[in-house]
Amino acid sequence: MSLIRIRNLTRHYVMGVETVHALRGVSLDISKGEYIAIMGPSGSGKSTLMNLLGCLDTPNSGSYELNGTNVADMDDNALAEVRNREIGFVFQSFNLLARSDSLHNVELPLIYAGVPYEDRRERARQALANVGLAERMHHKPNELSGGQRQRVAVARALVNDPSIVLADEPTGNLDSRTGEEILSLFEQLSRRGNTIIVVTHEEDVAQHARRIIRIRDGLIAADEVNPNPRAARLVGAAERVPAPA
Amino acid sequence: MRSQIQLMAEVREAFGMALNAIGTHKLRSSLTLLGILIGVFSIIVVATAIEALQGNIEKEMSQLGSHTFQVQRFPAIQVEDDMESVEKYLRRKRFYLSTARQLEERSTLAKHVGVTAEVDQGEVFSLYAKTAPTVSYRGMSPSAFETRNLVVAEGRALSETDMESARYVTVLGADLAKKLFPFGSPLGKWVQFRGVKYTVVGVLEAKGSIFGQSQDNFMSVPITTVLNRYGRETSLSIQVQSPSQEAFDDVVEQTRGVLRTLRKTPPGEEDDFEIVSNDSLINQFRSITLAVRAGAGIISSIALVAAGIGIMNIMLVSVTERTREIGIRRAIGAKKRNIMTQFIMEAVVLSEIGGILGVLLGIGAGNLAAAMLLTPPVFPWDWALIGLGVCSVVGVVFGTYPAWKAANLDPIESLRYE
């Protein structure tokens, strides 16, 4: 059974008198454990697709089944719960709470999930240790490097054990070396069985995925298996990212 | 159970973030909560001062003995000052010594019936004092010492013999005795009032002072002596003491009946005299201070509404500033309700900090004012709690719209917000 099953998804926006058709009927199946890149130039509709996949938005028509439940016409509260349990977001600009330390940032999803305090703290610590930041638990985002911030964000995405990790241009704000660091982290996660969807416009980043979906003008232009995904080139960074336990 | 844990966690998170947010903008937050502080301060300072004074005034009003009430022509606290009602009191028949005697004969339940008259004020001389203090000159019957709660410290009280013979003897208040006879016992010596000499037979125990006003600055002489000097028509006050608290109401009723008969009050008409007890005095005083408190309450409500608008304003700024944070929280699973809670909590915490400071400063300042009038400090718990309760309400009321706005931001838009 597919983890994600999308049929004829459409989404349009009314901008003044004009209607912008961002998605014109997308169908897609994603299985558990896949590592997928969604590519497309700006205006192609890839952001819209990502918002729909991440349950931040609802489609105008079509169906979206996530883990067997139809989320296309869920209400706001139900969507919030789905985002909390099923989806881990990684954003281009990290999107950490600036005034909270790493630990609090990572435990935030668990607070909304209603996990008791001790349990929550323990899981957040573990998640930070898994991305190699055991030493940085009580640092605030402005005390961390870009790569470290993005790793905190990855830890936050993973802490509630979601079905999908949804990364929107995860390396966009990083230099190429730290970018590779994050991509290598994704590879490790993928090997552990996490489902990863990376939305990007960089061919370089997309080449790490095992399947590449190209979007153009609101439709899927190509959906192909990447025969030989590129491994992250870790220049002296290997020892900085320990293998997840 | 699980939902309880969740609620706790959510509230805790909201509280932590509220403190965090307030701490980040210290100046802004303190300016905002200043309004609340002033609002709460104004009501608490008035309530504290009144409560401090009240304790004292109530003590002062307890000058009657236990289970005692007083019968008089005028009400104890006169609120109306128009001629008509004043005339109503003035037209009332006076109480004479004979009235008191007849009352004493006829009332079977009363323990004591005392008679007093405060007829004059003037300078009193003694051989030993350099200056002549101004005192109040009171006529008293022997039983009035019981009914007025006066205890003799030295010598004796006025006696029946003093009264029957209308002797020129006096019992002095403690302060007065000290002023007139600084070096020795006043007993057996004379004092002179309005050119007449009185022999001192007793000195009373000190009753202390209220608002710096001595309660012991008077001389008491037999009531008959007063009537001889000031005329038989002098109006008197009669005090009646009940043997116990239980019998009090019965004694009041009997006295009322006897007095109506003696004064020939037609049936069906209201009493043409006032019955005043410690309790009725205190109640009347309370009803007056209530008006003052209500005034302070109105002023502070206006201040609190103004402060609430300030809070709403700053919360709207806060929501805009934190649009990104709201987007993040929504993306990782916060429901609208969670965002609402967070921002309402922030408004309530802000308002409560102002409230607590206002209560503390108000109680401090109120007690300072009270201390200047030599009264002991008080802590008006009820007003403090009401004040803090109102602060929470202000926080919720004025925090709801900004919080609602925050909760209804579009998550996608807010994530992109710069």
Side-chain angles (χ1 to χ4, degrees):
Chain A
M1 196 192 72
S2 322
L3 180 65
I4 290 175
R5 188 170 177 276
I6 286 175
R7 289 292 173 271
N8 282 322
L9 218 53
T10 71
R11 183 73 172 98
H12 51 83
Y13 302 97
V14 179
M15 301 251 189
V17 288
E18 233 178 311
T19 305
V20 178
H21 293 275
L23 286 183
R24 297 164 186 269
V26 169
S27 299
L28 189 61
D29 285 273
I30 296 173
S31 316
K32 197 170 157 30
E34 280 195 274
Y35 184 178
I36 295 175
I38 295 176
M39 285 209 64
S42 37
S44 60
K46 67 176 194 302
S47 291
T48 307
L49 180 59
M50 192 205 70
N51 289 338
L52 289 172
L53 283 173
C55 295
L56 285 166
D57 198 4
T58 46
N60 293 108
S61 73
S63 75
Y64 172 18
E65 275 176 30
L66 176 63
N67 248 347
T69 32
N70 188 8
V71 295
D73 33 46
M74 277 186 167
D75 71 2
D76 202 80
N77 274 346
L79 283 179
E81 256 176 62
V82 171
R83 287 198 294 272
N84 187 248
R85 272 187 286 107
E86 308 283 355
I87 293 159
F89 284 99
V90 178
F91 300 97
Q92 175 174 3
S93 46
F94 322 129
N95 278 342
L96 300 174
L97 298 190
R99 292 195 302 268
S100 305
D101 62 12
S102 312
L103 192 61
H104 186 249
N105 264 296
V106 173
E107 75 172 338
L108 211 51
L110 300 177
I111 291 174
Y112 293 123
V115 177
Y117 181 77
E118 294 301 332
D119 195 8
R120 190 166 84 209
R121 287 256 135 169
E122 186 46 44
R123 280 166 70 178
R125 274 193 205 103
Q126 190 59 50
L128 276 170
N130 284 351
V131 296
L133 288 177
E135 308 296 314
R136 294 281 189 279
M137 277 185 208
H138 298 293
H139 288 62
K140 292 191 174 162
N142 61 3
E143 298 158 349
L144 298 171
S145 72
Q148 287 170 332
R149 288 185 213 180
Q150 196 59 302
R151 278 191 274 153
V152 173
V154 172
R156 181 181 64 188
L158 289 172
V159 74
N160 207 13
D161 199 17
S163 305
I164 323 164
V165 175
L166 200 55
D168 181 15
E169 303 281 8
T171 60
N173 278 15
L174 301 173
D175 61 57
S176 56
R177 206 178 76 179
T178 30
E180 289 290 321
E181 214 175 290
I182 295 300
L183 291 173
S184 134
L185 189 55
F186 282 165
E187 275 164 28
Q188 288 165 15
L189 295 174
S190 167
R191 275 200 292 277
R192 279 172 56 207
N194 286 88
T195 310
I196 296 169
I197 301 172
V198 177
V199 178
T200 182
H201 66 274
E202 286 178 68
E203 194 62 48
D204 234 24
V205 173
Q207 284 306 324
H208 289 81
R210 288 195 288 276
R211 177 179 164 195
I212 301 174
I213 296 167
R214 291 173 202 277
I215 309 271
R216 186 172 286 273
D217 299 331
L219 288 167
I220 292 181
D223 183 350
E224 62 212 10
V225 173
N226 187 6
N228 36 15
R230 184 188 296 176
R233 300 173 315 249
L234 289 171
V235 192
E239 63 278 352
R240 285 200 276 151
V241 187
Chain B
M1 185 59 194
R2 189 178 166 80
S3 67
Q4 255 178 335
I5 290 174
Q6 179 155 8
L7 194 69
M8 282 283 294
E10 282 170 18
V11 168
R12 214 179 123 139
E13 163 73 10
F15 184 72
M17 291 316 287
L19 286 182
N20 202 328
I22 291 166
T24 312
H25 302 284
K26 287 193 185 66
L27 178 62
R28 189 167 94 184
S29 306
S30 24
L31 289 175
T32 308
L33 58 81
L34 202 58
I36 293 278
L37 192 153
I38 291 168
V40 173
F41 175 82
S42 59
I43 180 74
I44 295 291
V45 73
V46 169
T48 308
I50 285 182
E51 192 154 319
L53 298 186
Q54 189 152 348
N56 263 277
I57 287 171
E58 285 177 8
K59 205 170 95 194
E60 184 188 36
M61 286 178 168
S62 305
Q63 40 181 251
L64 295 176
S66 51
H67 334 307
T68 302
F69 58 92
Q70 176 156 300
V71 185
Q72 55 194 41
R73 267 206 304 167
F74 291 93
I77 301 173
Q78 207 166 320
V79 187
E80 322 95 318
D81 63 347
D82 54 309
M83 277 319 286
E84 203 170 311
S85 44
V86 172
E87 272 175 18
K88 182 179 99 182
Y89 300 127
L90 279 171
R91 273 198 303 272
R92 286 175 168 180
K93 281 185 215 155
R94 297 177 179 191
F95 289 101
Y96 302 113
L97 193 54
S98 58
T99 326
R101 287 203 168 125
Q102 279 169 308
L103 176 65
E104 198 165 6
E105 261 167 47
R106 294 198 198 181
S107 75
T108 48
L109 297 173
K111 193 170 154 201
H112 293 291
V113 175
V115 187
T116 57
E118 233 162 285
V119 284
D120 202 0
Q121 283 201 337
E123 291 182 337
V124 61
F125 302 88
S126 86
L127 277 179
Y128 307 91
K130 283 183 190 156
T131 56
T134 300
V135 299
S136 108
Y137 174 87
R138 292 182 191 168
M140 291 181 75
S141 73
S143 48
F145 284 83
E146 300 288 334
T147 56
R148 288 300 288 265
N149 212 8
L150 300 174
V151 184
V152 176
E154 203 182 336
R156 62 173 175 86
L158 298 172
S159 68
E160 290 295 339
T161 326
D162 293 333
M163 182 140 132
E164 273 160 32
S165 327
R167 294 169 67 181
Y168 285 83
V169 291
T170 182
V171 173
L172 300 179
D175 271 11
L176 183 60
K178 197 153 250 163
K179 265 188 243 165
L180 293 176
F181 302 96
F183 307 115
S185 167
L187 297 183
K189 314 231 165 61
W190 54 262
V191 296
Q192 192 178 7
F193 184 83
R194 299 260 187 246
V196 178
K197 284 180 182 173
Y198 297 85
T199 308
V200 178
V201 295
V203 176
L204 296 171
E205 263 183 18
K207 284 199 119 182
S209 56
I210 277 171
F211 311 139
Q213 194 86 31
S214 170
Q215 294 195 93
D216 303 306
N217 191 32
F218 67 91
M219 57 185 289
S220 37
V221 299
I223 190 86
T224 42
T225 312
V226 170
L227 294 178
N228 283 346
R229 296 199 59 75
Y230 290 83
R232 297 277 142 194
E233 296 291 299
T234 304
S235 183
L236 310 174
S237 300
I238 299 173
Q239 294 109 37
V240 181
Q241 187 168 33
S242 148
S244 66
Q245 189 60 45
E246 291 73 47
F248 188 80
D249 289 343
D250 295 338
V251 175
V252 171
E253 272 320 300
Q254 192 187 39
T255 305
R256 175 172 283 147
V258 171
L259 284 176
R260 285 178 74 99
T261 317
L262 290 176
R263 292 161 73 86
K264 302 189 173 63
T265 315
E269 251 180 51
E270 63 172 16
D271 294 343
D272 60 346
F273 50 87
E274 303 287 331
I275 289 185
V276 177
S277 64
N278 289 341
D279 288 348
S280 73
L281 281 171
I282 288 167
N283 284 341
Q284 247 177 313
F285 174 70
R286 282 195 181 150
S287 67
I288 290 172
T289 59
L290 192 68
V292 177
R293 288 189 215 203
I298 290 168
I299 291 168
S300 67
S301 323
I302 293 169
L304 284 176
V305 168
I309 293 168
I311 285 188
M312 186 189 269
N313 195 15
I314 219 68
M315 289 306 297
L316 286 170
V317 172
S318 180
V319 168
T320 310
E321 277 178 355
R322 283 148 72 193
T323 302
R324 186 77 170 244
E325 175 189 327
I326 294 162
I328 299 170
R329 287 176 185 273
R330 296 278 280 135
I332 62 173
K335 300 189 175 89
K336 285 183 178 178
R337 188 191 71 212
N338 300 128
I339 304 292
M340 281 283 279
T341 313
Q342 184 185 338
F343 281 89
I344 289 180
M345 179 69 92
E346 191 173 321
V348 170
V349 169
L350 195 58
S351 151
E352 277 300 333
I353 293 175
I356 289 168
L357 290 176
V359 165
L360 292 179
L361 288 177
I363 287 174
N367 278 319
L368 199 69
M372 286 177 187
L373 297 166
L374 307 168
T375 69
V378 292
F379 193 103
W381 283 105
D382 45 351
W383 287 90
L385 291 178
I386 291 170
L388 295 184
V390 169
C391 284
S392 296
V393 172
V394 167
V396 170
V397 166
F398 291 96
T400 297
Y401 173 66
W404 177 87
K405 208 180 148 194
N408 284 288
L409 287 174
D410 177 27
I412 300 169
E413 292 295 321
S414 11
L415 275 170
R416 285 206 198 106
Y417 187 85
E418 292 299 332

